[in-house]
Amino acid sequence: MSRSSALDTLIDLTREAVDAAGRNLAGARRTQQQVQTQLDTLNHYRHEYCVGLQRAMQEGMDPASLLNYQAFLRSLDDAIARAAQTLRDQIDQVGQRQQQWLEQKRKLNSYNTLVDRRTQAEQLRENRSQQRLTDELSAQLRLRSNAFGTSGNHL
């Protein structure tokens, strides 16, 4: 396997890794948004339930109903705490996925830089080769011109 095709293979594999890391990052962000929406919904529901409790207390309520409200609020608070923890975990997950994507992207950029440098070096070698050929041809033409110029005067 030549160096070029080995590098091409590395670039292809790294491109695939960048794409996979990007998909993972996008999925983690979607999940984060879903968890955030769920947490927002729970908080909104808790707020509405508290407003209902205050209204019921103003109108008067029996102790059993108050205990039911309080128990339900505790269960909502537990659900909110779990959702908040899940959101923190998901935010960490997004950070990790983003780091993985950035690392793969850096690798790909490094490989592309190697290809660019190799291309530039090959172009420089080609230019030098062309310049040597041009210099050689010019030198041969000068020699011929000088040789014909001196022998042409004798004719």
Side-chain angles (χ1 to χ4, degrees):
M1 181 180 281
S2 72
R3 286 177 27 161
S4 179
S5 62
L7 187 56
D8 290 341
T9 300
L10 278 175
I11 288 172
D12 289 342
L13 291 173
T14 305
R15 257 192 209 113
E16 290 172 14
V18 167
D19 291 345
R23 285 189 300 276
N24 289 340
L25 175 58
R29 283 183 176 158
R30 274 191 305 277
T31 300
Q32 178 185 342
Q33 185 59 46
Q34 291 167 349
V35 171
Q36 180 67 58
T37 300
Q38 183 181 38
L39 180 59
D40 293 344
T41 301
L42 286 170
N43 279 319
H44 178 74
Y45 189 58
R46 186 187 191 289
H47 173 74
E48 293 295 318
Y49 202 75
C50 284
V51 168
L53 173 61
Q54 287 175 349
R55 193 177 15 239
M57 287 175 64
Q58 288 172 352
E59 295 171 0
M61 70 180 343
D62 62 276
S65 294
L66 179 61
L67 288 175
N68 285 339
Y69 265 98
Q70 289 173 337
F72 188 70
L73 281 172
R74 275 193 301 276
S75 69
L76 268 176
D77 288 340
D78 289 344
I80 288 169
R82 284 191 306 273
Q85 181 59 50
T86 301
L87 180 60
R88 286 189 294 275
D89 293 345
Q90 195 58 39
I91 288 169
D92 290 343
Q93 185 80 311
V94 167
Q96 291 171 5
R97 298 287 190 238
Q98 188 166 11
Q99 287 302 317
Q100 291 169 350
W101 179 80
L102 286 171
E103 180 58 33
Q104 294 302 322
K105 192 73 172 150
R106 277 188 216 109
K107 272 187 194 179
L108 182 59
N109 289 341
S110 296
Y111 294 146
N112 284 332
T113 298
L114 286 174
V115 168
D116 291 345
R117 286 181 184 164
R118 180 179 289 165
T119 301
Q120 289 172 355
E122 288 172 4
Q123 185 64 44
L124 184 61
R125 279 192 298 274
E126 180 67 25
N127 290 345
R128 286 180 181 162
S129 175
Q130 289 294 326
Q131 186 61 46
R132 276 193 296 273
L133 183 61
T134 302
D135 291 347
E136 248 181 59
L137 288 174
S138 294
Q140 287 176 3
L141 285 173
R142 274 194 308 272
L143 285 174
R144 286 184 187 165
S145 175
N146 287 342
F148 286 124
T150 54
S151 65
N153 288 338
H154 295 295
L155 290 174

